[in-house]
Amino acid sequence: MAKPDILMPYRLLPIAEAELEKRFTVHKLFEADDKDTQLAKISEKIRGVALGFGPFGPDLLEKLPNVEIVAGFGVGYDHIDVPACLGQNVMVTHTPDVLNEEVADTAIGLMIMAIRELGQAEQWVREGKWAERKPYPTTQATVRGRTLGIFGLGRIGKAIAKRAEAFGLDIHYYGRSKQDGVDYTYHASLTELAAACDTLMVVAPGGPATQHAVNAEVLKALGPTGVVINIGRGSVIDETALIAALEDGTIYGAGLDVFEDEPNVPDALLKLPRVTVLPHVGSASQATRDAMALLVADNIKSWFETGKAITPVPEMKK
């Protein structure tokens, strides 16, 4: 029996490539000199797509008339046109759960770095200022006694909240609805959440529903002692409003692992003294990335072996 043909438009981690090659005929489009010509030769044979770091939209979907599944890499899937796939009866999957703990660790670490200015303090040492007997200025903010507002209390949000409890933080949250069995204080709007806390943790996914949800009004509600942490998606924060709020003291500081136009970070953000930036490394340990990549492969294997995916995106469950 012939192996199903799988398209790999972008490079995946070697562990996933090797796993897929055991059971499928894998076409690595990223290796082709002329991708359009190569795709035209194989398009009708392709029954699945193993997606790495890159978009999947209608332009590619329409060239794959027999595709059955698009297996995405990452818990976020705003780079995949899910409505278009739904319209063509194409299953879409992502890789939740396997990265929850890693991202939650990063979120707490970034929060502490931003509030205590640890990245800036390290740079102070590297630049030789400490050796010149210049102590780093005492930070005006502390983690102690803060109220953490979590925007997006899903799997990762709950893992962050559990860690934050150990720091003695009072935890509030906002989402589409109040959750049963959750003891944290719920707020009916994001602005209301911001007004009730001084540390806003953004864990929400990207997409039209959350585009610029953290805007000037929300930042004003957060207030002058407020710190914004974003480990969700860059599109959730209006970066222009954020820069203005930081420059004029509307809020105190920010810790950002994601940005609107990655890998480009606005110079204005980088020049601000109380902004900590990371290059989208929330889940970027080798162990976690390998687990994510294997889940991409496992979703495709499960689809062709059982007709069911392991981790379909929520829209596919309706």
Side-chain angles (χ1 to χ4, degrees):
M1 185 176 177
K3 296 180 179 179
D5 288 76
I6 301 298
L7 181 69
M8 198 176 289
Y10 318 103
R11 187 177 297 280
L12 262 176
L13 294 181
I15 193 170
E17 292 185 13
E19 191 65 22
L20 286 167
E21 286 171 345
K22 293 176 185 177
R23 307 189 185 203
F24 303 98
T25 300
V26 179
H27 302 271
K28 299 179 181 180
L29 191 61
F30 58 87
E31 292 182 346
D33 293 329
D34 187 334
K35 294 179 175 57
D36 290 335
T37 299
Q38 178 64 16
L39 186 59
K41 291 179 181 178
I42 61 174
S43 60
E44 293 192 2
K45 296 191 296 183
I46 299 300
R47 294 178 59 196
V49 175
L51 201 62
F53 290 107
F56 186 90
D59 53 337
L60 185 53
L61 179 62
E62 67 182 15
K63 295 175 183 176
L64 304 172
N66 298 308
V67 69
E68 300 172 28
I69 181 172
V70 176
F73 180 93
V75 65
Y77 52 92
D78 47 311
H79 59 298
I80 304 173
D81 192 327
V82 174
C85 290
L86 275 169
Q88 297 295 323
N89 256 346
V90 175
M91 170 58 67
V92 178
T93 67
H94 60 153
T95 59
D97 296 325
V98 292
L99 48 64
N100 295 354
E101 305 305 318
E102 202 76 71
V103 175
D105 288 347
T106 304
I108 294 296
L110 181 56
M111 181 185 73
I112 296 170
M113 285 182 69
I115 293 171
R116 291 298 317 282
E117 303 173 27
L118 299 185
Q120 295 88 329
E122 181 194 14
Q123 195 61 33
W124 190 270
V125 177
R126 291 182 181 278
E127 291 173 354
K129 293 178 182 178
W130 195 38
E132 295 171 1
R133 304 293 179 179
K134 297 177 182 177
Y136 186 78
T138 303
T139 56
Q140 298 304 303
T142 176
V143 177
R144 303 275 71 77
R146 283 191 162 256
T147 299
L148 178 65
I150 300 178
F151 175 23
L153 194 70
R155 302 175 184 90
I156 295 172
K158 287 184 174 71
I160 293 170
K162 181 179 178 181
R163 287 159 172 76
E165 286 182 23
F167 286 85
L169 302 187
D170 186 21
I171 300 166
H172 297 225
Y173 75 102
Y174 163 71
R176 285 172 292 184
S177 60
K178 185 176 181 180
Q179 298 186 31
D180 294 334
V182 172
D183 293 332
Y184 309 131
T185 303
Y186 174 74
H187 295 273
S189 74
L190 183 53
T191 303
E192 184 182 307
L193 174 69
C197 68
D198 51 23
T199 309
L200 180 61
M201 178 72 70
V202 179
V203 198
T210 60
Q211 178 79 19
H212 287 183
V214 179
N215 54 25
E217 178 186 4
V218 171
L219 295 169
K220 183 178 179 181
L222 187 60
T225 62
V227 175
V228 176
I229 309 297
N230 190 4
I231 50 85
R233 278 290 185 267
S235 61
V236 179
I237 294 180
D238 181 342
E239 278 185 3
T240 301
L242 176 63
I243 291 167
L246 288 161
E247 287 178 338
D248 64 19
T250 297
I251 65 171
Y252 182 83
L256 308 168
D257 185 43
V258 290
F259 304 89
E260 283 201 75
D261 183 28
E262 296 180 6
N264 303 304
V265 180
D267 287 340
L269 271 177
L270 297 177
K271 291 175 181 176
L272 287 162
R274 292 195 292 268
V275 175
T276 299
V277 293
L278 299 178
H280 201 152
V281 294
S283 64
S285 72
Q286 194 62 55
T288 296
R289 287 290 171 87
D290 280 349
M292 293 164 65
L294 282 174
L295 186 50
V296 171
D298 287 344
N299 267 304
I300 292 177
K301 287 190 294 182
S302 178
W303 179 259
F304 287 103
E305 290 172 2
T306 71
K308 295 181 180 179
I310 300 170
T311 52
V313 300
E315 291 87 339
M316 295 289 158
K317 301 174 185 177
K318 295 177 181 178

